[in-house]
Amino acid sequence: MSVAKKEYKRVTVHSLMEMKQDGEKISMLTAYDYTMAKIVDGAGIDVILVGDSASNVMAGHETTLPITLDQMIYHASSVIRAIDRALVVVDLPFGSYQSDPKEALRSAIRIMKESGGHAVKLEGGKEIKESIKRILNAGIPVMGHLGLTPQSIYKFGTYTVRAREEAEAEKLMSDAKFLEKAGCFAIVLEKIPAELAKKVAASVAIPVIGIGAGSGVDGQVLVLHDLLGMTHEFNPRFLRRYMNLYDDMTKAITNYVDDVKSADFPNSEEQY
Ligand code: KIV
């Protein structure tokens, strides 16, 4: 078991590299708003990802594609106002970096300037190399994301495990090495075989953070609302639920409705 080896007052991209070198696992969770981010940061998380999963979790879209750059900036600035310690990474949304490197840089700059985020995350490997290089050249830290990349869901067709076949596994390994060489500070690997993820983590010096990628990587990330059991219809094998907040909240709200209907709330001590 790996526990915290060193106190970090503020987590930076360099702290993450140090954690990998020290064999300390990196903890990462999503957050999209001030109140949740305050709790997550206070609980000692290393990295908060303002993920484009906000498109699903916060806005109810079926995919991550519809969320806009303005909406990501809104979520990220709410998170940033809550943070004392965690490194905050913000997803560049679909359409804000794929068409040309100059637009990718403009999008990344808007995120850094308007939200105060500390780094950006992009999905893809060599196919977006010019965008990655341009953003890095501007001094903006970049986290890569390989494997199941939800912005490409219509190309994949399903959310099943990626890189089971040798050709895709080889491409993933080569993309991971490319991201490291280009200067990315970390890579997220989503939903790939654990053996492959372990090999990737051992082949690059930068931290590899997994979701559905097994235990042989340098850290783990989950969507906060999944961990809390608020999204009870989402049941992938990799998800460990630490609460069943969907049922607890439903019970609390049902009780409130009953109390209002029966005029039990407010009582004499709950009024002026
Ligand atoms: O948007 C997101 O929440 C993510 C994680 C699943 C890694 O990219």
Side-chain angles (χ1 to χ4, degrees), residues 28 30 32 49-54 56-57 64 72 91 121 123 145 150 188-190 209 211 221-223:
M28 173 160 147
T30 62
Y32 319 104
L49 172 66
V50 184
D52 58 0
S53 50
N56 313 104
V57 177
T64 58
M72 289 303 297
D91 264 339
K121 176 163 82 57
E123 295 183 6
H145 184 157
V188 165
L189 292 183
E190 182 166 352
I209 299 173
I211 173 164
V221 54
L222 282 177
V223 168

Side-chain angles (χ1 to χ4, degrees), residues 147-149 153 156-164 168 190-193 212 238:
L148 176 63
T149 46
I153 187 58
F156 297 146
T158 72
Y159 285 99
T160 52
V161 179
R162 302 304 313 173
R164 279 195 195 278
E168 195 177 336
E190 182 166 352
K191 227 171 169 186
I192 64 165
F238 67 76

Side-chain angles (χ1 to χ4, degrees), residues 32-46:
Y32 319 104
D33 67 83
Y34 176 85
T35 306
M36 290 290 211
K38 191 100 191 148
I39 298 170
V40 172
D41 186 59
I45 205 78
D46 296 317

Side-chain angles (χ1 to χ4, degrees), residues 91-161:
D91 264 339
L92 279 181
F94 178 69
S96 72
Y97 62 97
Q98 291 93 341
S99 59
D100 89 86
K102 279 190 192 159
E103 194 192 354
L105 177 58
R106 269 196 299 275
S107 303
I109 287 176
R110 279 202 61 202
I111 285 189
M112 303 299 282
K113 226 177 165 66
E114 296 176 39
S115 78
H118 308 142
V120 297
K121 176 163 82 57
L122 285 75
E123 295 183 6
K126 287 187 203 107
E127 57 284 357
I128 51 161
K129 72 170 181 237
E130 295 309 327
S131 297
I132 291 175
K133 284 183 182 162
R134 213 171 252 265
I135 296 169
L136 284 165
N137 282 342
I140 300 172
V142 173
M143 176 181 267
H145 184 157
L146 301 171
L148 176 63
T149 46
Q151 292 179 10
S152 304
I153 187 58
Y154 291 115
K155 182 176 88 180
F156 297 146
T158 72
Y159 285 99
T160 52
V161 179

Side-chain angles (χ1 to χ4, degrees), residues 226-261:
D226 298 339
L227 169 152
L228 295 176
M230 295 174 87
T231 49
H232 68 157
E233 68 288 351
F234 181 61
N235 284 304
R237 187 203 291 197
F238 67 76
L239 173 60
R240 185 181 294 181
R241 286 207 170 86
Y242 287 81
M243 292 184 80
N244 187 346
L245 213 43
Y246 188 94
D247 285 353
D248 290 349
M249 287 178 74
T250 303
K251 215 179 295 162
I253 294 163
T254 309
N255 288 343
Y256 167 73
V257 171
D258 288 348
D259 288 352
V260 170
K261 296 283 182 191

Side-chain angles (χ1 to χ4, degrees), residues 1-6 18-27 46 215 217-220:
M1 195 168 78
S2 159
V3 290
K5 299 214 160 92
K6 196 172 160 188
E18 221 172 67
M19 287 179 197
K20 170 156 181 154
Q21 284 159 0
D22 290 350
E24 174 178 344
K25 298 280 188 185
I26 296 163
S27 60
D46 296 317
S215 60
V217 290
D218 307 305
Q220 299 294 328

